[in-house]
Amino acid sequence: MGRVISLANQKGGVGKTTTAINLAASLAALEKRVLIVDADPQGNASSGLGIDLRKSEYTIYDCLVDGVDLSRAVIKCDIESLDIVPSNIDLVGAEIEMLNMEARESVLKKLLVPVKESYDYILIDCSPSLGLLTVNALTASDSVIVPVQCEYFALEGLGKLLNTIKIIQNNLNRELVIEGFLLTMYDARLRLSNQVVDEVRKHFRQMVFETIIQRNIKLSEAPSFGQPALLYDAESRGAVNYLSLARELIDKIDAVASEPGAEESGQESRK
């Protein structure tokens, strides 16, 4: 049964899509079966993996609004065992069109049920908001990764996100846990970057991933070629960082799963 993980932060430009693309590619390179659900109307995860949206018959919009089976929207990527459900600008109107639906917060969760057995990991790239699409993603997820950029306003707005997660846990998805906070755009030369790392680790302690994503030009260039960094330049710092993150995530989840009773205690510690 695939583990569903949302990448969420209502702040834009923190590395959600970059993480979705490159973590997924790294997990696939480690022989895991991975599906990305592009739940952002900008569709950057789709274009960043070289998906030609003009050739895709269905997108996540059709699944959410018209009830199209999610499997019919799945597109295979260039990396073996990596698939994506694409998105486009039509998704902007989905939140309004879903308002009158029954159990509107759980539409995505129901869509994912038939495909979960086919994947080890399902990553949902959320939009930079806390609207109905993000609520759907969190309701459908087992856990959430929160990218936090190593810049001045790093912790700004995190309180709102954590409050939203708590509301989801209390009302819609009691199993939801925070998988971890991921520090992104780190520059070791800058005192500010190091201060942010210290501050985030002080606030969230063991909930912060050991892997830090360093600022890297190859990570910025790769999407324009429709490739994850692993294909664009496998030896680049960005590619190496995300491969390390994938290994850390696998080890973390395996460690929890292998200990009797650890799943419940692990959830409590990560909430």
Side-chain angles (χ1 to χ4, degrees):
M1 180 77 69
R3 185 172 183 83
V4 184
I5 304 175
S6 281
L7 292 108
N9 190 330
Q10 76 271 25
K11 281 176 66 67
V14 300
K16 286 190 299 295
T17 300
T18 298
T19 297
I21 292 172
N22 290 286
L23 176 57
S26 297
L27 287 167
L30 295 171
E31 302 183 337
K32 300 297 182 182
R33 300 165 300 163
V34 188
L35 174 69
I36 295 179
V37 177
D38 190 349
D40 185 346
Q42 297 175 86
N44 289 336
S46 304
S47 60
L49 284 170
I51 303 301
D52 186 351
L53 292 175
R54 294 170 298 182
K55 295 180 180 178
S56 59
E57 186 175 0
Y58 298 112
T59 68
I60 188 63
Y61 169 85
D62 301 296
C63 301
L64 290 169
V65 175
D66 297 327
V68 172
D69 287 348
L70 198 78
S71 58
R72 298 179 69 186
V74 171
I75 296 176
K76 292 191 176 299
C77 299
D78 290 339
I79 294 179
E80 190 177 351
S81 75
L82 174 58
D83 298 339
I84 185 169
V85 175
S87 172
N88 60 22
I89 197 64
D90 290 346
L91 195 59
V92 168
E95 291 194 346
I96 294 174
E97 295 182 64
M98 292 168 67
L99 281 177
N100 294 323
M101 288 184 180
E102 187 177 344
R104 62 192 179 194
E105 300 90 354
S106 303
V107 178
L108 181 56
K109 182 176 183 177
K110 292 175 183 175
L111 287 169
L112 287 175
V113 170
V115 303
K116 277 179 126 181
E117 292 289 347
S118 301
Y119 298 97
D120 298 307
Y121 293 92
I122 299 174
L123 304 183
I124 307 176
D125 183 26
C126 297
S127 60
S129 74
L130 295 178
L132 185 56
L133 288 174
T134 299
V135 169
N136 259 266
L138 294 175
T139 302
S141 296
D142 298 301
S143 61
V144 54
I145 291 175
V146 183
V148 180
Q149 81 277 37
C150 296
E151 294 179 1
Y152 185 69
F153 293 113
L155 299 180
E156 187 181 72
L158 275 187
K160 283 186 178 180
L161 174 62
L162 295 176
N163 188 53
T164 297
I165 291 172
K166 193 169 186 179
I167 291 171
I168 299 290
Q169 289 170 329
N170 290 336
N171 298 285
L172 296 166
N173 183 3
R174 294 190 179 276
E175 305 303 314
L176 180 67
V177 298
I178 295 175
E179 198 70 63
F181 293 85
L182 175 66
L183 291 157
T184 64
M185 304 178 191
Y186 173 74
D187 189 336
R189 300 168 299 176
L190 300 179
R191 181 184 298 175
L192 177 60
S193 281
N194 291 296
Q195 288 174 340
V196 170
V197 170
D198 291 342
E199 191 170 355
V200 172
R201 290 200 186 281
K202 183 174 72 176
H203 271 79
F204 300 110
R205 303 190 182 187
Q206 77 276 11
M207 296 171 72
V208 183
F209 283 103
E210 288 296 324
T211 302
I212 296 177
I213 309 302
Q214 295 168 283
R215 192 176 289 278
N216 176 240
I217 189 64
K218 299 296 185 182
L219 279 178
S220 302
E221 290 176 351
S224 64
F225 291 89
Q227 295 179 328
L230 202 60
L231 286 185
Y232 182 64
D233 185 349
E235 296 182 357
S236 67
R237 185 175 293 172
V240 171
N241 285 165
Y242 276 109
L243 204 52
S244 173
L245 176 65
R247 290 193 178 102
E248 182 179 352
L249 179 65
I250 292 169
D251 290 345
K252 186 176 184 181
I253 291 172
D254 286 350
V256 170
S258 64
E259 296 178 15
E263 182 69 36
E264 185 175 343
S265 62
Q267 287 179 4
E268 289 303 317
S269 66
R270 286 183 283 171
K271 285 185 181 181

